[in-house]
Amino acid sequence: MSAKSSRNSIASSLIGNVLEWYDFAIYGYFASAIGLAFFPESDPSVQVLMAFSIFAIGYLMRPIGGALFGHIGDKYGRKLALNISVAAMAIPTFLVSILPDYNAWGIWATYILILLRLIQGLSVGGEFTTSIIYLVTHAPKGKKALMGALATCGAVGGVLLGSLTGDLMHHLMSEDMINDWGWRVPFLFGLIIGLVGFLMRRHMIDDVPSTPKKLPILEVFQNHRPVLFNISGLAVLNAVGFYLIFVYLVGWFKIVDHLSPSQALDINSISMILFVIIICIAGYLSDKVGAKNIMKIATVGVFIFSIPLFNLMNHHNEQYILLGQLGFAILLGSYFGGLNSILVLSTPAHIRCTLIAVGYNLTLGVVGGLTPLAAAWLLDKTENPISPAYMLMFACFITLIALFKNNYKEHY
């Protein structure tokens, strides 16, 4: 592959991840406004819980989307799977922005919102895993972890873009304006990103593997269950860590630390910038000293420091709050840096799309999708501000077992 083609392939793969995670980020950041628009008859805490419930419903579609787009990728090529997935995200994102609210359409508005989130959940189930496979398999020798890390940077870049957009909206608009109509504006931007991604992917190099003898999903469950479960275990810290620290905490800062939305998003945006930098550094180092070594150290670090860092963030001083989230950004970024290369290089090529998509999305869909909802429920029931730290520690325990059981082997 020429240097120009390689750059085009990287950019084409990353743009879809930016869109996918931009959309999911802005939904999380504007959950209270969305809850007000589509559940106006509930009290504020129930509105947020209902909005996060729809967030979770979209995530629960990820395993199905993983199986669907994994089948397309393994049978017909990664390029086709990536093109369909970006369209399945961009169109519903635009439709959410113009969807009439409960006061206009009643319960049907809520039903349509759920339907659009279901379609987007299918899309997310295929986009990210297909893109990491594309990037890692086309990476130059000695740079596979770094290329896999770039895929995560695209996803985190989308969340960061959503955070920055939300921050800008809260600086430019009053809370009443955002709740009334301003929350719709960020969803309009998603259509632009989607169109750019679709146009860029027309020139991607296609990647059609040898056709499996069986249906890919059948082969996965008949012949590759241990690898499937190992992939799911490796993704647990990914799921809980990311959605707890960079999505849920925005609301936690407002509830526990009584920060304004703009203050919470400022801290979150700064932390994610460091997170992206650490992911790239960890990806580079993973190619030099081994991804699993760095991931094990990072997992133990998250386990040890979860409670101290939550205690640090449970403070009235913004500097201490920022320092706590930066600590999580360093630890989690170190884990994320080598994860994608391990996922890809631990699986046989002919079934890779389906195997990774199903295993990874089972965890991200169920565990990741329910994490903000579970954390909100736990905080409400225990009234203990650091209770979400225990969720993170349990995730570390599961992932550490998966790391020690992972039978890394390069299938090339």
Side-chain angles (χ1 to χ4, degrees):
M1 185 187 300
S2 67
K4 182 178 179 181
S5 296
S6 178
R7 288 193 298 270
N8 288 340
S9 294
I10 293 171
S12 299
S13 297
L14 295 183
I15 191 67
N17 286 329
V18 171
L19 170 64
E20 304 280 355
W21 299 106
Y22 167 81
D23 173 82
F24 269 77
I26 58 175
Y27 187 93
Y29 297 144
F30 290 96
S32 59
I34 293 171
L36 182 63
F38 293 96
F39 305 98
E41 297 179 356
S42 304
D43 64 64
S45 61
V46 173
Q47 288 172 353
V48 173
L49 284 172
M50 292 301 293
F52 273 126
S53 296
I54 294 180
F55 181 88
I57 288 171
Y59 262 78
L60 293 175
M61 293 300 291
R62 287 188 61 160
I64 300 173
L68 173 63
F69 285 99
H71 177 86
I72 295 171
D74 284 330
K75 293 274 288 186
Y76 306 107
R78 282 42 162 170
K79 179 179 177 179
L80 178 62
L82 288 169
N83 279 330
I84 296 174
S85 69
V86 77
M89 177 58 77
I91 295 172
T93 297
F94 169 72
L95 293 177
V96 168
S97 72
I98 62 173
L99 179 64
D101 62 16
Y102 186 93
N103 290 328
W105 281 11
I107 193 63
W108 284 104
T110 307
Y111 289 155
I112 294 171
L113 176 64
I114 293 172
L115 176 62
L116 294 174
R117 298 303 295 175
L118 292 176
I119 295 171
Q120 290 172 321
L122 289 174
S123 172
V124 173
E127 173 67 34
F128 182 70
T129 53
T130 307
S131 70
I132 67 171
I133 292 167
Y134 190 92
L135 285 168
V136 173
T137 54
H138 286 89
K141 187 176 181 180
K143 294 185 178 180
K144 293 187 180 298
L146 178 59
M147 293 295 283
L150 287 178
T152 301
C153 288
V156 177
V159 178
L160 177 58
L161 181 60
S163 180
L164 292 171
T165 302
D167 194 9
L168 178 63
M169 296 292 293
H170 280 96
H171 280 295
L172 295 177
M173 295 183 179
S174 68
E175 196 71 19
D176 288 340
M177 290 175 66
I178 288 174
N179 289 336
D180 186 29
W181 58 271
W183 66 268
R184 298 178 181 274
V185 176
F187 287 91
L188 284 169
F189 296 154
L191 181 63
I192 298 172
I193 302 172
L195 289 173
V196 172
F198 187 80
L199 292 173
M200 290 177 65
R201 287 180 173 180
R202 292 185 305 166
H203 306 292
M204 287 180 74
I205 298 171
D206 208 355
D207 184 11
V208 183
S210 57
T211 303
K213 295 179 181 179
K214 302 178 181 178
L215 281 174
I217 191 67
L218 292 180
E219 183 170 349
V220 164
F221 281 100
Q222 289 177 358
N223 303 329
H224 301 283
R225 284 195 299 273
V227 180
L228 179 70
F229 295 142
N230 187 258
I231 288 171
S232 293
L234 291 174
V236 169
L237 181 55
N238 178 324
V240 176
F242 187 82
Y243 293 103
L244 189 64
I245 301 304
F246 298 109
V247 176
Y248 170 73
L249 274 191
V250 173
W252 187 88
F253 290 148
K254 291 184 283 186
I255 296 169
V256 174
D257 295 328
H258 306 293
L259 299 183
S260 69
S262 61
Q263 288 174 312
L265 287 166
D266 282 342
I267 291 172
N268 198 58
S269 298
I270 293 169
S271 299
M272 279 197 291
I273 291 171
L274 177 63
F275 184 52
V276 169
I277 294 170
I278 296 298
I279 289 171
C280 293
I281 294 173
Y284 174 81
L285 293 176
S286 293
D287 285 318
K288 305 297 181 184
V289 302
K292 283 204 291 186
N293 294 328
I294 294 176
M295 292 165 68
K296 287 176 183 176
I297 294 170
T299 304
V300 172
V302 174
F303 183 88
I304 293 172
F305 289 103
S306 285
I307 291 177
L309 290 174
F310 260 91
N311 276 321
L312 186 62
M313 292 188 296
N314 183 23
H315 203 282
H316 65 275
N317 190 312
E318 285 188 50
Q319 293 181 339
Y320 287 135
I321 298 169
L322 174 60
L323 189 61
Q325 196 177 26
L326 290 176
F328 277 122
I330 293 170
L331 293 170
L332 290 172
S334 299
Y335 180 81
F336 278 56
L339 176 61
N340 293 338
S341 61
I342 291 293
L343 294 178
V344 175
L345 300 178
S346 297
T347 53
H350 75 286
I351 201 70
R352 184 169 286 151
C353 260
T354 303
L355 187 52
I356 295 176
V358 173
Y360 183 86
N361 285 302
L362 276 171
T363 298
L364 269 290
V366 178
V367 178
L370 293 175
T371 289
L373 181 62
W377 178 86
L378 193 62
L379 180 62
D380 181 61
K381 294 300 180 183
T382 65
E383 298 183 354
N384 179 1
I386 66 165
S387 57
Y390 298 107
M391 295 172 56
L392 198 52
M393 293 171 71
F394 184 71
C396 290
F397 177 73
I398 299 297
T399 291
L400 200 58
I401 293 173
L403 278 169
F404 278 102
K405 287 185 172 293
N406 178 265
N407 184 24
Y408 170 83
K409 185 177 181 182
E410 194 169 343
H411 289 274
Y412 286 95

